[in-house]
């Protein structure tokens, strides 16, 4: 029969593996979102935003389970609250699971950093797009001179211009 500490360590490793898998998916979604933003693909942007929301919820759930397992492992190992840190948890998991737990924690840290950087780029792309739209709207709203186009987008009849010469040819 498996020791309680081993069982909890295995649960912790499972939770950490799930977090890493979800972060890897979040990385893929962030790349897809960047591509959709660059391509001005509204459907792709909406799809990736929804996927990102779902992944963030699932990551938070797995992270909470991992934290609960780590707390239980620390208690089972008799660690005082001030002694609990990554190294003590890895040590409490034992020589069989400790190295795998440490490896998953490093993998999670690297994936989280990469996802955060990708999301910062996506945020900047989205902000830039919104700035362009706002600038265009301000420009249209402050134009006081006569435009070559009517409100419905057609050419205004009147004085000949180069554009209207193409229509008459």
């Amino acid at each position: 029969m498996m020791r309680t500490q081993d069982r909890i360590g295995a649960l912790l490793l499972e939770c950490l593996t799930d977090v890493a898998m979800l972060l890897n998916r979040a990385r893929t979604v962030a790349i897809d979102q960047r591509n959709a933003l660059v391509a001005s693909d509204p459907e792709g942007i909406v799809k990736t935003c929804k996927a990102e929301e779902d992944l963030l919820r699932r990551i938070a759930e797995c992270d909470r389970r991992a934290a609960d397992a780590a707390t239980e492992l620390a208690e089972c190992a008799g660690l005082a609250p001030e002694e609990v840190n990554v190294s003590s948890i890895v040590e409490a998991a034992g020589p069989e699971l400790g190295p795998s737990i440490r490896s998953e924690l490093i993998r999670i840290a690297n994936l989280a950093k990469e996802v955060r950087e990708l999301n910062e780029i996506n945020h900047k792309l989205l902000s830039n797009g919104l700035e362009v739209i706002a600038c265009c709207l301000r420009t249209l709203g402050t134009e006081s001179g006569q435009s070559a186009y009517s409100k419905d987008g057609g050419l205004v009849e009147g004085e000949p211009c180069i554009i209207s010469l193409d229509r008459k040819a």
Side-chain angles (χ1 to χ4, degrees):
M1 187 161 166
M2 193 180 234
R3 283 183 337 150
T4 302
Q5 221 165 307
D6 291 339
R7 182 184 54 75
I8 298 168
L11 176 63
L12 175 58
L13 180 58
E14 180 184 319
C15 292
L16 293 174
T17 302
D18 289 347
V19 169
M21 178 202 58
L22 291 168
L23 280 169
N24 196 44
R25 283 191 195 156
R27 178 187 165 280
T28 301
V29 168
I31 291 169
D32 290 346
Q33 189 174 62
R34 180 191 60 206
N35 293 338
L37 285 164
V38 169
S40 297
D41 173 12
E43 290 174 8
I45 294 168
V46 169
K47 179 181 169 189
T48 56
C49 284
K50 287 180 181 178
E52 181 183 43
E53 258 182 52
D54 179 57
L55 284 168
L56 289 174
R57 181 188 50 73
R58 292 172 59 199
I59 288 168
E61 289 171 3
C62 286
D63 189 53
R64 208 169 10 265
R65 284 191 350 230
D68 291 346
T71 300
E72 191 176 347
L73 183 59
E75 289 170 359
C76 189
L79 296 171
E82 63 274 1
E83 297 175 313
V84 177
N85 57 41
V86 171
S87 295
S88 65
I89 292 295
V90 167
E91 189 177 318
E96 293 287 320
L97 296 171
S100 297
I101 288 173
R102 183 179 303 281
S103 175
E104 283 302 309
L105 288 169
I106 291 168
R107 183 172 164 224
I108 287 168
N110 290 334
L111 283 167
K113 180 179 184 254
E114 190 174 357
V115 169
R116 187 173 35 258
E117 289 169 354
L118 287 165
N119 283 336
E120 286 171 3
I121 291 168
N122 290 346
H123 176 71
K124 186 66 176 165
L125 286 170
L126 191 56
S127 294
N128 289 348
L130 291 173
E131 281 181 40
V132 168
I133 291 168
C135 181
C136 289
L137 290 173
R138 278 192 306 273
T139 302
L140 291 173
T142 58
E143 281 184 356
S144 58
Q146 186 176 1
S147 175
Y149 298 99
S150 66
K151 290 185 190 245
D152 66 359
L155 287 173
V156 175
E157 296 296 329
E159 304 246 346
C161 65
I162 294 175
I163 296 171
S164 65
L165 293 177
D166 288 339
R167 253 189 11 189
K168 293 178 182 177

